Amino acid sequence: MTNEYLLYLAYTRGYSNHTCRAYSQALRQFAHYRKEHDDDARWGNTTASHVQNYVAYLIADGKAATSIKLQLSAIKGFFRFITHNGGTIDKNIYYCEAPKAAKKEAPTIAPADIESAINDESIDKDIRCIIALIADTGLRISECLHLHPCDFDKGKMAIKVIGKGNKIRYAYYSPRVQTMLNTYKRETYRANFLFLGEERDIRYEIHLALRKHSSAPYLSPHIIRHTFATEMLRKGLNLAALQKQLGHEDIKSTECYLNNSRIHTYNDYYNTLVK
C-alpha cells in the first residue's frame, strides 16, 4: 500500500522526487516505531493515540518541529489515501497535531555569489543554465527539470511551468536566461526535456557549484529560489505578483520573505509619513 501511495504522490499529485523520498522515509520510521511497541502493529489497527504518541516520542528525541510536521503530513496523507481506496481507519488521526514551528527567515545567500557561479566557465554549462534560470525566475528545481524547449514563449518572455499538483502556471524569464538558453540549445539540441539527469545528481552539482563561490551554511537550488524572492521584494515587486511567479497556492507562503530583511528603510517610512 505504501508503494501505491508514493506513486500517487508522484504521478497524480505531482510531488517531487525529493518530497517522495522524505515521505517514504517518514512512513518507514513510523512503521518501525509501531513494531517496536506492538508485536501486532498493522496499518489497519493504528489509532490516533499511536500517532500522537509517536509525535511525543519525536519531540522527546529532540527532532525539529519542521521535521515532525513533515512526518505527520506523510502519515496523515497515507491514511487518507487508505480511506480513498476503501479502507477503514481511525479518522481521529486526521486531528493529530504537530508542535508549531517558530517562524524563521528563509535562508538566502549573497546574490553576488550566485552570479559568480553563473559566470564560472569551469562549471558545466547545463548547471550554470539551471542556476541562472532559478536565480532569474524563482522556479523550483523539479520544475526546471520538467521543462521542454517548447515551453518558452520568446514573444512574451514567459515559461509554461508545471508546478506542484501538476498545476500549470506561467512565469516570466529574463533576457539573460534567453541568451544563455539560446546558446545551450544550439549546442545540446533536445526535442524532449531541456535538461537531462537525475534530480538528486543535479542538486548535488548545484551545491558543488555554489560551494566554489560561497561560504554560506546552506547551499541548494531552493536557496537560490529564496534569494530570488527576497531580492524581488527588495526591488519593489508586489507580493501578489511574486506569489504568481513562485507558484504559491497560499500567499502566506510568500509572506515569509517579508521577514528576510528590512525591505523598507527609515527613508521609505519618513517620506511616506511627511507626504
Side-chain angles (χ1 to χ4, degrees):
M1 181 65 79
T2 54
N3 287 336
E4 288 88 341
Y5 173 56
L6 295 170
L7 289 172
Y8 161 75
L9 294 179
Y11 295 106
T12 303
R13 297 295 304 278
Y15 282 31
S16 69
N17 292 336
H18 183 72
T19 302
C20 288
R21 282 196 298 270
Y23 273 40
S24 175
Q25 184 179 17
L27 291 174
R28 286 199 305 271
Q29 290 173 346
F30 178 58
H32 178 72
Y33 168 86
R34 286 280 287 119
K35 288 176 182 177
E36 278 192 333
H37 293 80
D38 183 354
D39 292 336
D40 188 38
R42 289 174 284 111
W43 295 121
N45 63 10
T46 299
T47 67
S49 294
H50 294 131
V51 176
Q52 205 63 61
N53 287 341
Y54 180 60
V55 170
Y57 162 77
L58 294 174
I59 294 171
D61 197 40
K63 293 292 187 292
T66 50
S67 173
I68 297 172
K69 184 178 179 181
L70 183 145
Q71 294 220 19
L72 189 56
S73 294
I75 293 166
K76 290 164 76 170
F78 177 61
F79 282 107
R80 285 194 182 92
F81 179 76
I82 290 175
T83 59
H84 290 166
N85 285 274
T88 302
I89 65 161
D90 177 5
K91 292 188 178 180
N92 287 319
I93 290 173
Y94 299 158
Y95 304 105
C96 292
E97 294 186 352
K100 289 186 177 180
K103 289 186 178 179
K104 294 182 179 180
E105 294 180 358
T108 62
I109 62 175
D113 294 343
I114 298 174
E115 294 303 309
S116 295
I118 292 170
N119 295 322
D120 185 347
E121 294 186 359
S122 69
I123 297 169
D124 288 346
K125 188 166 290 185
D126 55 344
I127 298 300
R128 291 165 54 211
C129 279
I130 294 171
I131 293 174
L133 187 57
I134 300 172
D136 288 6
T137 65
L139 296 188
R140 301 174 179 92
I141 183 62
S142 58
E143 294 169 344
C144 290
L145 299 184
H146 282 86
L147 290 174
H148 300 77
C150 61
D151 291 330
F152 291 79
D153 184 335
K154 293 182 182 180
K156 297 180 180 178
M157 297 295 285
I159 317 171
K160 179 182 177 182
V161 182
I162 300 177
K164 287 186 174 180
N166 289 323
K167 292 181 179 177
I168 295 174
R169 75 178 190 280
Y170 291 87
Y172 295 108
Y173 65 99
S174 65
R176 189 256 297 270
V177 165
Q178 182 65 66
T179 300
M180 291 184 72
L181 288 178
N182 283 341
T183 303
Y184 177 74
K185 286 189 284 187
R186 280 197 302 270
E187 296 178 0
T188 57
Y189 176 76
R190 293 173 182 140
N192 198 4
F193 290 118
L194 184 60
F195 303 107
L196 298 181
E198 292 291 329
E199 181 180 326
R200 190 174 190 175
D201 296 335
I202 291 175
R203 282 177 176 274
Y204 181 63
E205 290 297 324
I206 291 175
H207 170 84
L208 292 180
L210 295 175
R211 178 58 66 204
K212 291 180 67 176
H213 299 279
S214 175
S215 58
Y218 304 108
L219 295 171
S220 70
H222 219 66
I223 297 300
I224 305 173
R225 175 175 159 91
H226 289 328
T227 303
F228 164 82
T230 301
E231 287 298 297
M232 287 296 99
L233 285 177
R234 186 181 67 79
K235 292 176 181 178
L237 185 66
N238 70 68
L239 201 64
L242 181 61
Q243 177 192 8
K244 290 182 179 180
Q245 179 77 12
L246 295 175
H248 285 157
E249 192 166 317
D250 189 338
I251 200 167
K252 289 182 180 178
S253 299
T254 319
E255 287 174 350
C256 73
Y257 297 110
L258 291 171
N259 298 322
N260 269 16
S261 60
R262 289 194 305 170
I263 301 298
H264 68 296
T265 65
Y266 176 75
N267 287 338
D268 296 328
Y269 162 78
Y270 183 77
N271 291 336
T272 303
L273 185 68
V274 297
K275 281 182 179 178

